[in-house]
Amino acid sequence: MSAKLPVGILGATGIVGQRFIQMLEHHPWFEVDWLAASDRSEGRPYAEAARWRLKTAIPSRVANMTISPAKPDGAPKIIFAALDAAIARELEPQFAAAGCAVVSNSSALRMQSDVPLVIPEVNADHIALIETQPWRQSSRGFAVTNPNCSAIGLVMALSPLHRCFELETVMAVTMQAVSGAGYPGVASLDILGNVIPYIAKEEEKMEEETQKLLGTLKDGRIEPAPFAMSAQCNRVAVEDGHTESVSVRLKRKAKPEQLIAAWNDFRAEPQKLRLPSAPEQPVVYMHAHDRPQPRFDCDLGGGMTTAVGRLRPCNVLDWKFTVLSHNTIRGAAGAALLNAELLKAKGYLG
Ligand SMILES: NC(=O)c1ccc[n+]([C@@H]2O[C@H](COP(=O)([O-])OP(=O)(O)OC[C@H]3O[C@@H](n4cnc5c(N)ncnc54)[C@H](OP(=O)(O)O)[C@@H]3O)[C@@H](O)[C@H]2O)c1
């Protein structure tokens, strides 16, 4: 019998669900034990129900697993959730109420005041919000979320600057990969040779999530970080990896070498605790004048490292730079996995 903790995946057949399966294949603590998706997939073998879109093969023990109904009966107590927000809003509370630890990717509960929105390197202390959730009181279940795939790369790059020099203003313009829209996602005729300057609700998510993530836990609630923030989001014809052009004004003056050192020296709880999915270096500054680029750099640190480059003075704010982060690894499945590892290390998973 395996000593690993059994986990389930809600939305297992989708783009993020597939990443979960890939990342959990050789995980030292967790083992996939249960898969669920829509009633279109229910009752079918995983390999038949999922249109597998990753470059590694479907793990053999998962390929023949039957897709279960998306209901808490018979599900394990740790659930990774990769559902569309509208469905997640209905299903995630049902699993938390049934006593499950719901580690969610969707936006459904992210901004709820008693739900932690967590990047373990940035705000691991926000996990304590779990204790304020009614599910926790009634069934010991709870929900924890990770941010939107473009907010996470931005916040990984901003957090070291905010700690050392305090942010006053942030402007970010994204160039987001098509895999961020799920499968089948954006029609090829809409995106080939094109840029789409609109992603529904994405700018609002980036702005509010960034301030919650960099906010402060006080008296059982999060006070959002007070800096001014504006985001503009675009979909581009890139497969994986969200690139962002960022400008910041800082409260304390800094030299470029101090900013670069703040990024390269940034280490936090996941590195101290040696969590299995934590990258050795969460943020890497690339000195080449034309990097980072999604095709070459989004897999840094197994897709868990955020790449920063092109630091230069900004004529309007203080500094500008480029950020790159893997949207389905650090921006989704890897983010949730690292959250689950943090929860286990902190004793929340039994
Ligand atoms: N893609 C990214 O880069 C990314 C990054 C961060 C966060 N997210 C978030 O993660 C979530 C999943 O995204 P995705 O890109 O993986 O989407 P996706 O490829 O469209 O997959 C959606 C999944 O939800 C399942 N599903 C649909 N309706 C259902 C229902 N009524 N009951 C149960 N399951 C149902 C689908 O199952 P069937 O196959 O049976 O239809 C599929 O497994 C979304 O909230 C998204 O915003 C995505």
Side-chain angles (χ1 to χ4, degrees):
M1 210 175 95
S2 168
K4 295 182 187 180
L5 294 173
V7 300
I9 304 172
L10 261 177
T13 50
I15 287 285
V16 177
Q18 294 182 21
R19 274 285 178 212
F20 273 125
I21 286 167
Q22 184 191 53
M23 294 190 80
L24 285 162
E25 185 178 5
H26 301 294
H27 198 278
W29 299 351
F30 305 127
E31 187 166 71
V32 177
D33 191 46
W34 179 92
L35 304 169
S38 77
D39 52 12
R40 292 179 291 278
S41 304
E42 197 184 309
R44 298 167 72 193
Y46 182 78
E48 191 191 296
R51 296 198 66 181
W52 188 256
R53 280 291 168 271
L54 298 180
K55 288 169 188 158
T56 53
I58 304 182
S60 52
R61 61 177 295 280
V62 168
N64 295 324
M65 283 173 70
T66 302
I67 308 279
S68 299
K71 296 196 176 96
D73 313 334
K77 289 292 176 208
I78 304 168
I79 296 291
F80 291 108
L83 298 166
D84 290 335
I87 300 147
R89 195 164 290 117
E90 187 191 325
L91 292 187
E92 289 178 359
Q94 291 178 19
F95 282 77
C100 298
V102 178
V103 186
S104 165
N105 256 286
S106 100
S107 60
L109 303 177
R110 278 182 204 147
M111 294 307 294
Q112 197 167 300
S113 62
D114 60 359
V115 174
L117 173 62
V118 177
I119 303 174
E121 282 91 346
V122 172
N123 62 339
D125 61 317
H126 290 197
I127 286 250
L129 274 184
I130 285 171
E131 301 301 345
T132 69
Q133 296 178 2
W135 307 304
R136 184 73 169 158
Q137 323 296 334
S138 56
S139 68
R140 306 301 291 156
F142 60 85
V144 169
T145 58
N146 56 259
N148 167 277
C149 46
S150 40
I152 198 162
L154 178 69
V155 173
M156 290 291 288
L158 292 180
S159 179
L161 304 187
H162 194 46
R163 285 178 195 202
C164 298
F165 311 108
E166 217 178 321
L167 294 163
E168 192 172 286
T169 308
V170 177
M171 313 263 295
V173 178
T174 70
M175 290 150 272
Q176 300 183 214
V178 284
S179 60
Y183 189 82
V186 189
S188 55
L189 270 181
D190 288 343
I191 194 67
L192 281 176
N194 201 13
V195 172
I196 301 172
Y198 174 70
I199 304 174
K201 299 195 188 131
E202 195 81 352
E203 294 173 354
E204 295 85 342
K205 286 183 200 166
M206 272 189 84
E207 291 167 1
E208 61 187 16
E209 291 178 19
T210 297
Q211 286 171 323
K212 181 170 179 180
L213 286 157
L214 292 172
T216 312
L217 176 68
K218 214 171 161 191
D219 302 327
R221 53 181 296 278
I222 306 296
E223 283 182 6
F227 52 82
M229 157 96 204
S230 173
Q232 299 186 61
C233 297
N234 304 284
R235 184 79 65 201
V236 298
V238 163
E239 187 182 349
D240 289 318
H242 290 353
T243 307
E244 306 182 22
S245 296
V246 183
S247 300
V248 295
R249 177 178 289 138
L250 302 170
K251 284 208 176 146
R252 292 189 281 286
K253 289 272 162 270
K255 295 187 174 135
E257 54 274 22
Q258 291 176 299
L259 301 185
I260 292 171
W263 283 316
N264 282 333
D265 296 345
F266 180 54
R267 300 289 184 282
E269 220 157 333
Q271 287 70 39
K272 283 186 212 131
L273 293 168
R274 297 184 170 277
L275 299 180
S277 303
E280 267 175 44
Q281 190 171 335
V283 182
V284 167
Y285 185 81
M286 306 189 78
H287 288 273
H289 66 269
D290 59 352
R291 303 290 272 272
Q293 295 182 19
R295 185 183 299 165
F296 304 115
D297 304 316
C298 82
D299 288 325
L300 273 178
M304 292 295 281
T305 291
T306 298
V308 181
R310 301 213 63 226
L311 176 67
R312 59 230 190 266
C314 171
N315 292 333
V316 179
L317 303 182
D318 292 333
W319 297 101
K320 51 188 176 180
F321 49 88
T322 304
V323 175
L324 171 71
S325 174
H326 197 301
N327 54 294
T328 64
I329 300 181
R330 181 50 104 152
L337 194 47
L338 198 57
N339 278 351
E341 292 168 3
L342 180 72
L343 288 165
K344 180 172 184 307
K346 299 269 178 200
Y348 283 94
L349 298 185

